């Protein structure tokens, strides 16, 4: 019995995080800088996208 391929509607492609605007970092060395938070979100997005591509090998690049 063939295994059905995952339904892309039930497992949507991860969306990249929104990049901070040019004026969102104040440059004063905040402990939780928006650029650091964005970097963390981008790493999570890339990992989620890689996992999603494994589940959807026929999806467009």
């Amino acid at each position: 019995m063939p295994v059905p391929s995952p339904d892309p509607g039930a497992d949507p492609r991860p969306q990249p995080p929104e990049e901070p605007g040019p004026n969102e970092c104040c440059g004063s060395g905040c402990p939780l800088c928006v650029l650091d938070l964005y970097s963390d979100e981008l790493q999570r997005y890339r990992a989620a996208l890689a996992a999603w591509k494994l589940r959807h090998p026929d999806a467009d690049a």
Side-chain angles (χ1 to χ4, degrees):
M1 176 183 233
V3 175
S5 60
D7 175 13
D11 184 18
R13 181 184 188 107
Q15 296 300 306
E18 186 175 333
E19 187 173 357
N23 298 325
E24 288 189 58
C25 174
C26 65
S28 65
C30 298
L32 290 176
C33 178
V34 295
L35 299 179
D36 294 334
L37 296 174
Y38 173 69
S39 177
D40 292 345
E41 290 177 13
L42 194 57
Q43 288 178 358
R44 283 191 294 274
Y45 160 72
R46 288 178 176 154
L49 181 60
W52 183 87
K53 285 182 176 182
L54 289 174
R55 293 190 306 273
H56 301 274
D58 296 331
D60 295 333

